[in-house]
Amino acid sequence: MPDKVSAVKGIVKSLGLVFGDIGTSPIYTITVIIILLPPTPENIIGVLSLIFWTLALLVTVQYAWLAMSLGKRGEGGTIVLRELLVPLLKSGRQIALVTLLSFIGIALLIGDGVITPAISILSAVEGLLLIPGYEKTSQTVLVTIAGLIAIALFSIQKKGTERVAGAFGPLMILWFAVLTASGIGAIVRAPEVMKAVNPYYAIAFLVNNGLAGFFVLSEVILCATGGEALYADMGHLGREPIVRAWNFVFIALVLNYFGQGAFLIQHPEAKNVLFEMVFHQARLLYVPFLFLSIIATIIASQAMISGMFSIVYQGITTRILPMFKVDYTSEERHSQIYIGFVNWFLLFCVLFIIKEFRESSKLAAAYGLAVTGTMTLTGIFMTWIFLLRKQYVKASVSVLVTFVSFTYLLSNTYKIPHGGYWSIIIAAVPFSIIMLYRVGQRKLYNALQPLPIDVFLPSYQQVYRNANKIKGTALYFARDAKEIPPYIVHTMFKNNIIYEDNIIVSIVKRDDPFGVTGFFVADLAPGLRSFEIQMGYMEVPDVEEILREAGIQEKTIFYGVEDILPSNIIWQIFSLIKRLTPNIVQFYKLPYNKLHGVVTRVEL
């Protein structure tokens, strides 16, 4: 019995945290598609068949089955696929290619993350136009309301959403139940839509409509946006609850889409299909449904924001992104984090996108490009992994779904001149930061010219024997105890500051997502020890607590500060990023009253 209760709780939690994005897609998907083609019964059934098989292939097969069979200790996402694939590769060029593609995937996810709340909130707010007396509400008012909702949502992030998160699951259950009931109510009046389950109608639609049908795919894919969250959020909830919840969500979505199709067959003049269908079915319940839809879009947006924090934190710990300031909004540190820079960057972009496009139908012209790009990259990585692991059945199926994803990606190139370029521009920001930071860090490390430990030790031993030592323990942070940073050399040799006990602390990222261990590696010389903290790339470690558990009671903590003299604008930007983001001791929130920064001037 307890197992069943925990299983139900896992499913409910999944509905609130994972399926908000894909669950709110019925608000706008068919509404946008009917702008592109006449709503004849043949077209409607063809589109419904495309939607059904898109959900089946790209979400059920690609993510719920294939992607979720790949993971590290239950963790999923683009970075996980990279971490799985790189050890299987032998060629340096292949590793470089995979690394570059993973950076593009992360950037596209962030680009997609900006458009998700914008289109979801705006399309739900537009449902106000069906309320009697509000039919002539100006688009400016609707845009303002959507913008205020977005501002309120992003403003509460620093305080954490733990208190209200418990309500997300039950509210999404209500949302999906309403979608299901509404869909069934419409299907009863036009049951012929059920034949759309047959893939013949999807193929016939594409054949009969030629190039126009191909471009309709760029809007059909909107039904699967958020499907990537099944894999990306696997680490929070586990595979089983998400897959079980998806079975329920899949049925609810299909019934609602088919219901919208049935409603369109009877009311071909409909524009905002979902809202008009509910308004026609239960006028008295329309306003509560409108509020429920807005709540559902807020929940979807919240899940996206939390996902962005998680992605960026993975990027920080795997050293592909700068050490942005991270705050913890929950007593359970693993569960919720807040990254201010990411939060306000996303809000600025969301408000800009809402103001730029003003209508959800126009915003749909920019939506889908990043999603299909992410899905295609996921497919490529999965196929590669399955082939190298000699899992040929999964590799064959993966090739099929990757081809489908790529077809949708090609279709979405049609959107680039119609607003799709904005998702590319937004994605270009994190991609540029990643590339600049990676190259800059490598160049900075080479310019600092760390001293090999075997060169450092003879000088250290001489100084340690002859110098007047300060009582107590001093900590020094280094990437690797075998490579001594210049600031340690300056502190000990040039400034003659040397303690009785000196410990070089290095924080090492492990290949798996979770687990933290701290241990002494070796006594390098009299008064000089090496301490290593190994952490999974999803961990949020308490470095101070780890040091205490190891019995380390430091008197002072030294760390390096680079004073960068840039030679061109590229390195000026890199220097600015370094100045604006925390260094290692600030990032891990070590006691500020013990910190001593040692400046090293570097020309780049």
Side-chain angles (χ1 to χ4, degrees), residues 262-384:
F263 180 77
L264 259 179
I265 288 174
Q266 293 186 303
H267 303 85
E269 75 286 353
K271 300 298 180 190
N272 198 337
V273 184
L274 175 62
F275 288 108
E276 289 186 40
M277 180 172 76
V278 174
F279 186 77
H280 188 269
Q281 291 171 332
R283 190 167 297 193
L284 289 175
L285 296 175
Y286 178 73
V287 173
F289 172 76
L290 178 61
F291 280 115
L292 179 61
S293 69
I294 292 173
I295 290 169
T297 59
I298 290 171
I299 291 172
S301 302
Q302 176 59 54
M304 179 280 303
I305 296 168
S306 299
M308 290 302 106
F309 291 160
S310 181
I311 288 167
V312 171
Y313 186 75
Q314 283 187 36
I316 291 170
T317 56
T318 51
R319 293 175 178 164
I320 65 173
L321 280 169
M323 284 185 163
F324 298 116
K325 186 175 183 288
V326 176
D327 293 309
Y328 310 110
T329 61
S330 166
E331 290 180 5
E332 299 174 16
R333 283 192 163 189
H334 295 298
S335 61
Q336 289 193 9
I337 58 174
Y338 168 80
I339 305 175
F341 172 82
V342 176
N343 189 65
W344 301 120
F345 171 76
L346 289 174
L347 175 60
F348 172 80
C349 292
V350 167
L351 293 176
F352 174 79
I353 289 293
I354 290 174
K355 182 180 182 299
E356 177 72 16
F357 289 90
R358 298 182 64 80
E359 297 176 25
S360 61
S361 58
K362 291 179 180 176
L363 185 49
Y367 201 28
L369 191 64
V371 177
T372 51
T374 302
M375 288 179 169
T376 303
L377 286 173
T378 299
I380 291 169
F381 280 11
M382 287 193 313
T383 305
W384 207 340

Side-chain angles (χ1 to χ4, degrees), residues 8 79 94 98 111 125 183 194 245 294 299 442 495 501 503 576 604:
V8 171
I79 290 179
Q94 288 180 338
V98 167
V125 169
M194 294 305 294
I294 292 173
I299 291 172
R442 193 179 302 119
N495 298 326
D501 185 26
I503 302 174
L576 181 64
L604 289 183

